[in-house]
C-alpha cells in the first residue's frame, strides 16, 4: 500500500522531553563498535525491579532471558559482566517519551544474512516509528551516520553505497517500563553513606572527611574565580554541560574519560547555564560527592569499628539518569591531557592499577586546591575486536588449504583393543628392577595393584613393560587400566614424562573452525596483517566419552574469536591449531574455571589470544613469547613440527 506524503531526512531522535512527566526507561549496553544497544523490554522491567529493591545490587539477566545466562549487571559500577569470558561493557539507563516506539512496544528490525531479525538501536527505532506514524514513504538515516534508506512501502532497507537491500519489519512487543513523576535529581553514584555516617545524617568526623571538608571551600573558590575569568574561546569537547533532571546544571563525564582537573574551567562554558547558581560545580561542590571516579567507592574503618563509605564521583548527575538526547561526546585519548599535567591512573573494577582511587582522589583535590593542574584517568578497557570488516576483505591464509574445518559425529570415536595398544608401544622386561610402578605405587617385582580388579587375556599381573621412547617401566596391567580410563583412541601417554605414543585425540564436541586474513594489524606486528580464527560449538548432549553421558552441556561465549599475526610463524601455529582441532584437542567438556559452571565447553590447555587491540587481560598482544609458548603447549598434546612434515 502506498504511503502518502514525502520522505524525511532524520535530524535526531526526539527521545526526551521536559521535566516532571512520565518517562519510558530503556537500558542499553555499549557494543564493540561504540553503539548503544537496547536490552529487551522484559529485561528492562527486570532491571528496574532490581533497582527499586537495591540501587547498588546485581542483576542476573539469565533470570529473564535464558540466552543471557552468562551476563550480570553491576548497578553500582554500571557495567555488564560476562562471566564466562570476563568481558565488561558499560551500560546506561535511557529515557524516552511514552508516545515513542519503546513506550508503545513497537520494535523495528532488519534481516541479517542468516535470516535472523536484529533490532535497530533505540534512538533509530524512535526516529523510524515517528516517520512511519507521519506516513512518510521513506526515511533517510544518512544524517545519523548510517548510509541507509528505509522504504516503508516495500519494507526494505537499502544501503546507499552498495545498493544492497535487506528486509525490514515492524512488530509489537511488550512496552518498556514507565517511570511516573519527576526523574530523580542528580546524586553521587553509587549512593554514599553520608546520610548514615553520623547522627542525624551529619558529616563524618574521620580524618579523611575533615581534610576534604577543609579543602573543599578553597577548591570551590579557585574554580569559581577561574570560571569568572574564562574566555569565550575555551576548549570544548572534553567536558560539556548538560541539564540534570532536577533542573540544575552539571558537568558530566563518561566512563573511560580523561579529565584535566586543573584546567576544568577551560573546558566549561560557564557556571550558570540554565540551572543557575553554583549547583553546577561538580568537583567539590556543596551537596555533590567528591573524588575521582564515578565507578568506585572508598571504604575505611575507624578504630572504634565504625565503617562507612565515601561516594566517589565527578559527575553532577546520577549515571543512571541520562536522557537519550543528551549523549555526551567525550575525549578518551590521553593526547587530550595538557602537557606537563600529572596523570593519576585509578584502579579499574578488577583491582589492577598503580594508584588506589581514594588516594588519587585526595591527591587531586589537594593539588587542585593549591591551583596545580592534575588529571584523573580511568584504567583503559580491553580492545577485544577489530574495526568492522566487509566480507570482501576476508582473504584465505597463504599456504593453508581452505578456510573452514568441521568436526562431525562420525569423526568422534575410533575404538582400539587395550591389550593391542599396550603391546604396540612397550617391550616386556624379564628381570624387573626393585622400584615403584608410578601408576599403582606397588613394587615392580611384585604383582600389579590392579590384580583382582582388572583381568585381560595374555597380560598377567606380574608382567612389566618398558615404553619405547622414554624407557619408563610399568606393570603392563597398570598401563591397560590407564588406557581404559582415558579416551581409548589408540594412543598412550607416559604418566612420568608425558611422552605421547601414537596420535592423541580429545573429546571436543562437534563444531566448526574458520580462519582467514583480515586487513588489520596486531600490536607488536604492525608490518603484517592478522589471521582471525573463529571457533563455533553449539550446545548439545554428552556422549559416552564425556563426563556425564546423556546430560546436556552448554557452550558459552561462542563464536569465539582468536588472533595470530599473518607471518611465517603465525601461519605455522595456525597449521598446528588446525591439526589440534582435527584431533579434537582445542576444547573439552568440564567445569569453567571462570564461572564454576559444570558441564560446559572449556579451553583444553592450549592458550589463545582473544584480545585484538590490547593486552590488558593477558590474552592479547604484544606478547613476544606467545607463538613459542603455544607451540610448546601444542607439542605437549602431541601436535608438533614432526606432524606437519608427515
Amino acid at each position: 500500500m502506498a504511503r502518502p506524503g514525502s520522505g524525511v531526512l532524520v535530524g535526531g531522535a526526539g527521545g526526551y522531553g521536559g521535566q516532571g512527566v512520565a518517562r519510558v526507561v530503556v537500558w542499553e549496553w555499549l557494543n564493540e563498535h561504540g553503539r548503544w544497544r537496547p536490552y529487551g523490554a522484559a529485561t528492562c522491567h527486570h532491571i528496574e525491579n532490581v533497582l527499586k529493591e537495591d540501587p547498588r545490587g546485581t542483576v542476573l539477566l539469565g533470570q529473564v532471558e535464558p540466552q543471557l545466562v552468562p551476563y550480570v549487571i553491576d548497578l553500582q559500577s554500571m557495567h555488564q559482566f560476562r562471566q564466562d569470558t570476563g568481558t565488561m561493557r558499560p551500560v546506561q539507563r535511557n529515557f524516552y517519551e511514552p508516545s515513542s516506539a519503546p513506550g508503545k512496544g513497537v520494535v523495528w528490525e532488519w534481516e541479517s544474512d542468516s535470516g535472523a531479525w536484529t533490532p535497530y538501536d533505540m534512538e533509530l527505532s524512535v526516529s523510524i516509528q515517528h516517520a512511519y506514524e507521519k506516513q512518510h514513504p521513506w526515511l533517510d538515516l544518512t544524517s545519523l551516520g548510517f548510509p541507509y534508506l528505509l522504504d516503508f512501502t516495500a519494507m526494505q532497507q537499502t544501503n546507499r553505497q552498495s545498493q544492497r537491500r535487506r528486509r525490514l519489519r515492524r512488530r509489537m512487543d511488550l512496552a518498556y517500563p514507565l517511570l511516573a513523576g519527576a526523574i530523580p535529581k542528580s546524586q553521587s553514584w553509587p549512593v554514599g553513606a553520608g546520610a548514615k555516617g553520623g547522627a542525624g545524617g551529619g558529616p563524618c568526623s574521620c580524618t579523611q572527611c575533615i581534610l576534604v571538608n577543609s579543602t573543599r571551600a578553597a577548591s570551590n573558590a579557585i574554580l569559581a574565580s577561574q570560571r569568572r575569568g574564562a574566555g569565550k574561546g575555551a576548549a570544548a569537547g572534553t567536558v560539556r554541560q548538560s541539564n540534570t533532571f532536577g533542573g540544575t546544571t552539571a558537568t558530566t563525564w563518561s566512563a573511560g574519560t580523561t579529565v584535566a582537573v586543573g584546567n576544568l574551567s577551560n573546558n566549561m562554558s560557564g557556571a550558570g547555564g540554565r540551572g543557575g547558581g553554583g549547583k553546577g560545580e561538580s568537583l567539590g561542590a556543596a551537596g555533590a560527592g567528591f573524588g575521582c571516579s564515578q565507578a568506585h567507592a572508598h571504604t575505611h574503618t575507624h578504630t572504634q569499628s565504625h565503617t562507612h563509605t565515601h561516594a566517589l564521583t565527578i559527575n553532577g548527575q546520577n549515571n543512571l539518569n541520562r536522557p537519550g538526547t543528551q549523549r555526551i561526546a567525550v575525549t578518551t585519548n590521553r593526547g587530550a591531557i595538557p602537557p606537563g599535567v600529572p596523570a593519576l591512573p585509578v584502579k579499574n573494577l578488577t583491582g589492577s592499577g598503580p594508584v588506589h582511587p581514594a588516594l588519587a582522589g585526595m591527591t587531586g583535590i589537594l593539588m587542585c586546591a593549591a591551583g596545580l593542574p592534575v588529571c584523573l584517568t580511568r584504567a583503559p578497557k580491553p580492545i577485544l575486536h577489530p574495526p568492522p570488516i566487509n566480507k570482501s576483505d576476508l582473504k584465505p591464509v597463504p599456504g593453508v588449504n581452505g578456510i573452514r574445518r568441521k568436526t562431525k559425529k562420525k569423526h568422534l570415536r575410533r575404538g582400539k583393543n587395550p591389550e593391542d595398544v599396550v603391546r604396540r608401544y612397550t617391550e616386556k622386561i624379564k628381570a624387573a628392577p626393585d622400584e615403584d610402578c608410578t601408576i599403582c605405587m606397588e613394587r615392580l617385582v611384585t604383582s600389579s595393584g590392579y590384580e583382582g580388579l582388572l583381568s585381560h587375556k595374555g597380560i598377567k599381573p606380574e608382567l612389566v613393560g618398558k615404553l619405547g621412547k622414554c624407557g619408563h617401566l610399568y606393570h603392563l596391567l597398570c598401563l591397560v587400566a590407564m588406557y581404559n580410563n582415558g579416551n581409548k583412541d589408540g594412543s598412550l601417554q607416559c604418566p612420568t614424562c608425558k611422552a605421547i605414543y601414537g596420535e592423541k585425540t580429545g573429546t571436543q564436541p562437534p563444531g566448526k573452525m574458520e580462519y582467514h586474513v583480515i586487513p588489520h594489524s596486531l600490536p607488536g606486528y604492525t608490518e603484517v596483517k592478522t589471521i582471525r580464527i573463529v571457533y563455533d560449538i553449539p550446545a548439545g548432549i554428552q556422549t559416552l566419552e564425556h563426563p556425564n553421558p546423556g546430560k546436556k552441556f552448554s557452550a558459552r561465549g561462542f563464536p569465539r574469536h582468536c588472533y595470530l599475526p599473518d607471518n611465517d610463524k603465525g601461519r605455522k601455529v595456525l597449521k598446528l591449531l588446525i591439526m589440534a582441532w582435527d584431533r579434537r584437542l582445542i576444547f573439552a567438556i568440564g567445569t569453567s574455571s571462570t564461572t564454576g559452571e559444570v558441564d560446559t565447553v572449556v579451553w583444553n590447555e592450549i592458550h589463545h589470544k582473544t584480545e585484538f587491540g590490547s593486552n590488558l587481560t593477558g590474552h592479547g598482544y604484544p606478547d613476544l613469547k606467545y607463538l613459542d609458548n603455544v607451540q610448546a603447549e601444542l607439542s605437549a598434546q602431541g601436535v608438533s613440527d614432526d606432524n606437519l612434515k608427515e
Side-chain angles (χ1 to χ4, degrees), residues 433-614:
D434 188 16
E435 59 185 50
D436 287 339
C437 170
T438 56
I439 297 177
C440 69
M441 300 310 295
E442 298 288 346
R443 308 298 287 181
L444 290 173
V445 294
T446 63
S447 297
S448 168
Y450 286 93
E451 183 180 12
L453 301 176
L454 190 66
S455 61
H456 282 268
K457 296 179 180 180
I459 297 185
K460 297 179 180 180
E462 63 273 12
L463 291 179
V464 175
K466 181 175 71 172
L467 289 172
K469 294 180 183 178
C470 60
H472 289 112
L473 304 176
Y474 304 96
H475 292 116
L476 294 182
L477 191 60
C478 292
L479 290 174
V480 170
M482 183 184 72
Y483 179 83
N484 284 333
N485 287 329
N487 197 30
K488 302 177 185 177
D489 58 359
S491 69
L492 276 180
Q493 186 167 15
C494 176
T496 301
C497 66
K498 306 304 180 184
I500 296 175
Y501 296 81
E503 182 179 298
K504 179 183 177 180
T505 61
T507 59
Q508 174 181 292
K512 180 174 63 175
M513 173 188 185
E514 295 183 351
Y515 36 89
H516 44 251
V517 175
I518 60 176
H520 299 288
S521 299
L522 295 166
Y525 296 95
T526 55
E527 71 281 1
V528 298
K529 295 180 180 179
T530 300
I531 299 171
R532 180 169 65 182
I533 305 171
V534 182
Y535 296 111
D536 196 4
I537 294 180
I541 305 295
Q542 299 182 56
T543 60
L544 294 176
E545 61 186 354
H546 295 133
N548 297 297
K551 188 177 180 180
K552 292 182 179 180
F553 68 87
S554 61
R556 310 292 185 195
F558 289 94
R560 299 187 185 182
H561 293 212
C562 309
Y563 305 95
L564 294 168
D566 184 27
N567 55 18
D568 292 340
K569 210 168 189 178
R571 295 167 193 165
K572 176 183 175 182
V573 170
L574 174 63
K575 293 176 182 178
L576 294 173
L577 289 174
I578 292 173
M579 185 174 297
W581 171 268
D582 290 341
R583 297 183 183 181
R584 304 169 57 225
L585 295 169
I586 302 293
F587 297 96
I589 295 177
T591 301
S592 171
S593 60
T594 305
T595 65
E597 182 180 8
V598 298
D599 298 316
T600 189
V601 179
V602 296
W603 293 105
N604 188 34
E605 300 181 1
I606 301 175
H607 286 83
H608 286 65
K609 292 295 188 181
T610 55
E611 193 176 341
F612 173 79
S614 55

Side-chain angles (χ1 to χ4, degrees), residues 200-232:
C204 176
S205 59
C206 71
T207 304
Q208 179 174 333
C209 289
I210 292 175
L211 181 59
V212 171
N213 291 330
S214 66
T215 59
R216 181 174 292 168
S219 177
N220 289 344
I222 293 172
L223 290 175
S225 63
Q226 289 178 344
R227 289 192 187 95
R228 286 193 294 269
K232 295 183 178 181

Side-chain angles (χ1 to χ4, degrees), residues 31-70:
N31 68 8
E32 61 271 20
H33 306 305
R35 299 295 305 174
W36 288 99
R37 302 292 296 146
Y39 292 101
T43 302
C44 290
H45 278 279
H46 177 56
I47 299 173
E48 285 293 307
N49 290 335
V50 175
L51 178 65
K52 292 176 183 177
E53 296 177 1
D54 184 3
R56 287 185 282 182
T58 299
V59 185
L60 305 178
L61 300 185
Q63 294 179 350
V64 178
E65 296 189 44
Q67 66 270 28
L68 299 182
V69 165

Side-chain angles (χ1 to χ4, degrees), residues 31-192:
N31 68 8
E32 61 271 20
H33 306 305
R35 299 295 305 174
W36 288 99
R37 302 292 296 146
Y39 292 101
T43 302
C44 290
H45 278 279
H46 177 56
I47 299 173
E48 285 293 307
N49 290 335
V50 175
L51 178 65
K52 292 176 183 177
E53 296 177 1
D54 184 3
R56 287 185 282 182
T58 299
V59 185
L60 305 178
L61 300 185
Q63 294 179 350
V64 178
E65 296 189 44
Q67 66 270 28
L68 299 182
V69 165
Y71 298 99
V72 173
I73 291 180
D74 178 29
L75 294 176
Q76 182 170 353
S77 66
M78 291 296 286
H79 276 76
Q80 170 191 278
F81 176 70
R82 181 165 183 160
Q83 301 177 77
D84 52 352
T85 63
T87 303
M88 296 178 62
R89 298 187 186 277
V91 299
Q92 70 175 13
R93 188 189 193 206
N94 218 336
F95 298 91
Y96 296 90
E97 295 287 352
S99 59
S100 63
K104 296 180 178 180
V106 176
V107 181
W108 285 90
E109 300 172 319
W110 55 274
E111 188 178 29
S112 66
D113 293 337
S114 62
W117 289 95
T118 304
Y120 286 91
D121 297 350
M122 188 55 69
E123 289 189 347
L124 290 181
S125 290
V126 170
S127 298
I128 295 171
Q129 177 64 17
H130 180 74
Y132 182 84
E133 290 177 348
K134 295 294 184 181
Q135 296 191 340
H136 295 295
W138 53 266
L139 178 66
D140 192 343
L141 301 179
T142 304
S143 60
L144 292 182
F146 298 92
Y148 300 121
L149 183 68
L150 306 186
D151 184 345
F152 293 125
T153 303
M155 291 301 281
Q156 286 184 339
Q157 168 190 284
T158 303
N159 189 315
R160 285 183 169 274
Q161 297 174 353
S162 65
Q163 295 303 309
R164 182 173 184 178
R165 296 182 179 179
R166 297 181 182 272
R167 287 201 298 167
L168 173 72
R169 79 174 183 182
R170 174 182 181 269
R171 67 176 180 86
M172 300 301 298
D173 199 353
L174 179 69
Y176 280 78
L178 189 68
L179 183 64
I183 296 173
K185 294 183 179 181
S186 62
Q187 62 183 13
S188 299
W189 187 262
V191 180

Side-chain angles (χ1 to χ4, degrees), residues 305-333:
S305 301
H306 166 54
T307 304
H308 66 281
T309 303
H310 296 290
L312 296 179
T313 182
I314 50 177
N315 276 26
Q317 71 176 40
N318 188 338
N319 192 34
L320 283 175
N321 304 324
R322 184 178 300 169
T325 57
Q326 293 181 0
R327 292 271 170 79
I328 303 166
V330 294
T331 301
T332 58
N333 195 321

